[in-house]
């Protein structure tokens, strides 16, 4: 078992009423999972969909995507939107807020429309807009207290004021899809920005005379950096650089997954844009730009420990404890401790997923010897 204090062999997890208990309740049924790793449930800060469905779709689409990622170990998930017409985003915020209130998702992340056309990635340029605080407030109001994060190009007019608004509202201001300089990024952090949206991707590269946003985001201990560890978005050396400089306590491994996660190759929509997925890599049909990922967090975990050679404890921290802390949910999820939700992931000696429990109920029942 991977605990906050380290890895323990031969331990037990007691579950009572959907929570981890200090002691096993009387008459508890014992499930022997010898030979497996027991990990805390994964927490995804940034995900757009899965199972052929999107968080920009209907309530049933949202639930399909949620269930797809739960079956891959993500027991806590923030639903991310993509740039669209403001009226549609407001309407979707209302739908997602209801599902958040029901406990299906852990809140809403608005990625766009307040991003730079220079670094738009898989966002429709015609729908982008400057981060006017009044427009940002409109999304927050529509989310009815369930907005968790907004990604901004903070160098745009209104960007710094919007960061301050988000910080004052208890919502994460994330720097991303940005063309900011080092100095502009440092100003945004001082104003209250605390997350880097998929560090390295959709931002200027690190230069020796123009260190850019990557350097400012990595060096500031107030900032948590998202990383997409799918073998496509990042060179392994870039991922290791981030881990070595920021440490697992400031790294959140995310999926940035779109509809094709857990579904397969083919044609999909990401907001209003058409995406072609081939051999698991999603790209815009129009210009070939990478369009999110098809990643699930169980695959991110396995890659982190087998390809990137990270210690299991560091990978678990970046997949569970750190994102839980960022979301302010670390009193409920993110680690195996008494009083927290009984969210567990079982993997075998090859780090392949074998079981998932959420709030004391098996999502994937392990096939035990």
């Amino acid at each position: 078992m991977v605990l906050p204090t380290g890895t323990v062999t031969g331990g037990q997890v007691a579950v009572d009423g959907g929570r981890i208990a200090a002691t096993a309740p009387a008459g508890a049924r014992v499930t022997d999972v010898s030979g497996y790793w027991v990990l805390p449930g994964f927490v995804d800060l940034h995900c757009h969909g899965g199972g052929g469905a999107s968080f920009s779709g209907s309530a049933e689409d949202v639930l399909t995507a949620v269930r797809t990622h739960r079956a891959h170990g993500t027991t806590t998930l923030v639903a991310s939107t993509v740039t669209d017409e403001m009226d549609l985003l407001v309407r979707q915020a209302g739908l997602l807020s209801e599902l958040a209130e029901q406990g299906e998702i852990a809140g809403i992340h608005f990625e766009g429309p307040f991003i730079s056309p220079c670094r738009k990635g898989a966002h429709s340029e015609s729908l982008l807009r400057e981060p006017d605080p009044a427009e940002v407030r409109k999304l927050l109001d529509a989310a009815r207290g369930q907005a968790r994060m907004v990604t901004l190009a903070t160098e745009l007019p209104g960007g710094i004021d919007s960061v301050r608004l988000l910080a004052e509202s208890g919502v994460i201001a994330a720097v991303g899809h940005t063309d900011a300089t080092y100095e502009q990024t440092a100003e945004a952090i001082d104003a209250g920005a605390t997350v880097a949206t998929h560090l390295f991707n959709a931002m200027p590269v690190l230069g020796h005379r123009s260190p850019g946003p990557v350097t400012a985001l990595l060096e500031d201990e107030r900032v948590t950096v998202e990383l997409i560890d799918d073998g496509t978005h990042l060179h392994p050396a870039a991922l290791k650089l981030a881990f070595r400089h920021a440490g697992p306590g400031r790294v959140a491994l995310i999926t940035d997954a779109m509809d094709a996660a857990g579904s397969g190759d083919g044609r999909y929509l990401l907001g209003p844009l058409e995406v072609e997925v081939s051999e698991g890599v999603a790209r815009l049909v129009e210009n070939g730009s990478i369009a999110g990922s098809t990643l699930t967090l169980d695959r991110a975990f396995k890659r982190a420990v087998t390809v990137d050679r990270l210690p299991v404890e560091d990978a678990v921290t970046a997949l569970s404890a750190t994102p839980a802390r960022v979301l302010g949910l670390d009193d409920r999820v993110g680690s195996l401790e008494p009083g927290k939700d009984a969210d567990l992931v079982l993997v075998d000696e090859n780090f392949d997923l074998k079981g998932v429990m959420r709030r004391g109920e098996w999502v994937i029942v392990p096939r035990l010897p």
Side-chain angles (χ1 to χ4, degrees):
M1 296 189 300
V2 178
L3 305 177
T5 53
T7 298
V8 174
T9 300
Q12 293 183 333
V13 180
V15 177
D16 187 11
R19 299 284 186 92
I20 298 173
T23 58
R29 178 169 54 88
V30 176
T31 302
D32 185 357
V33 294
S34 299
Y36 290 159
W37 289 82
V38 182
L39 316 175
F42 303 141
V43 180
D44 197 351
L45 284 177
H46 185 158
C47 179
H48 296 278
S54 166
F55 292 132
S56 297
S58 67
E60 190 53 46
D61 289 337
V62 173
L63 292 174
T64 295
V66 167
R67 290 163 184 156
T68 296
H69 286 282
R70 279 185 194 163
H72 289 275
T74 300
T75 51
T76 302
L77 180 148
V78 174
S80 301
T81 63
V82 69
T83 296
D84 214 323
E85 298 283 358
M86 183 60 73
D87 289 347
L88 293 178
L89 289 173
V90 166
R91 188 185 315 157
Q92 195 63 19
L95 183 151
L96 291 171
S97 66
E98 292 181 9
L99 294 171
E101 290 160 2
Q102 295 167 17
E104 298 291 349
I105 59 175
I108 308 166
H109 163 217
F110 296 102
E111 187 181 23
F114 310 116
I115 60 176
S116 171
C118 301
R119 304 287 176 176
K120 64 182 183 297
H123 292 255
S124 176
E125 184 169 353
S126 65
L127 297 174
L128 301 182
R129 57 181 65 207
E130 294 175 350
D132 179 349
E135 297 278 79
V136 175
R137 169 58 69 189
K138 186 183 295 184
L139 290 183
L140 299 189
D141 290 344
R144 301 201 306 262
Q146 299 300 330
R148 293 289 173 263
M149 183 162 65
V150 178
T151 294
L152 306 163
T154 56
E155 75 278 8
L156 296 177
I160 296 300
D161 287 340
S162 291
V163 168
R164 293 193 181 103
L165 167 65
L166 291 168
E168 291 167 1
S169 303
V171 178
I172 299 162
V175 177
H177 288 275
T178 177
D179 203 41
T181 63
Y182 172 89
E183 291 77 13
Q184 289 170 326
T185 306
E187 182 185 7
I189 296 169
D190 285 339
T194 57
V195 166
T197 293
H198 44 55
L199 188 75
F200 299 109
N201 300 120
M203 59 181 64
V205 297
L206 189 159
H208 65 291
R209 292 192 183 92
S210 300
V214 171
T215 303
L217 294 162
L218 270 181
E219 73 178 4
D220 199 303
E221 294 185 356
R222 295 171 290 182
V223 177
T224 299
V225 299
E226 297 179 348
L227 298 176
I228 309 170
D229 192 9
D230 62 351
T232 298
H233 281 78
L234 295 176
H235 190 286
L239 180 132
K240 290 177 182 177
L241 173 70
F243 264 93
R244 286 172 183 165
H245 199 80
R250 286 181 49 222
V251 171
L253 292 177
I254 62 165
T255 62
D256 193 18
M258 45 82 71
D259 304 22
S263 184
D265 290 353
R267 289 280 179 110
Y268 297 86
L269 286 176
L270 184 60
L273 302 179
E274 193 170 14
V275 176
E276 176 77 31
V277 178
S278 177
E279 297 182 353
V281 178
R283 295 185 180 276
L284 290 182
V285 171
E286 180 181 5
N287 59 20
S289 176
I290 294 176
S293 84
T294 62
L295 190 62
T296 52
L297 284 184
D298 59 328
R299 286 171 45 212
F301 169 72
K302 181 172 181 175
R303 179 179 175 84
V305 297
T306 62
V307 176
D308 303 313
R309 301 294 181 182
L310 294 177
V312 171
E313 295 83 0
D314 288 356
V316 167
T317 297
L319 283 160
S320 301
T322 297
R325 173 188 57 76
V326 169
L327 292 171
L329 298 175
D330 49 341
D331 61 331
R332 290 289 302 271
V333 300
S335 59
L336 302 180
E337 296 179 87
K340 294 192 177 183
D341 290 351
D343 295 348
L344 313 176
V345 173
L346 304 184
V347 298
D348 63 15
E349 68 277 7
N350 296 316
F351 303 108
D352 290 318
L353 185 137
K354 294 298 179 182
V356 180
M357 175 182 286
R358 183 175 186 267
R359 298 180 182 175
E361 300 290 335
W362 288 113
V363 176
I364 299 294
V365 179
R367 294 186 178 181
L368 303 170

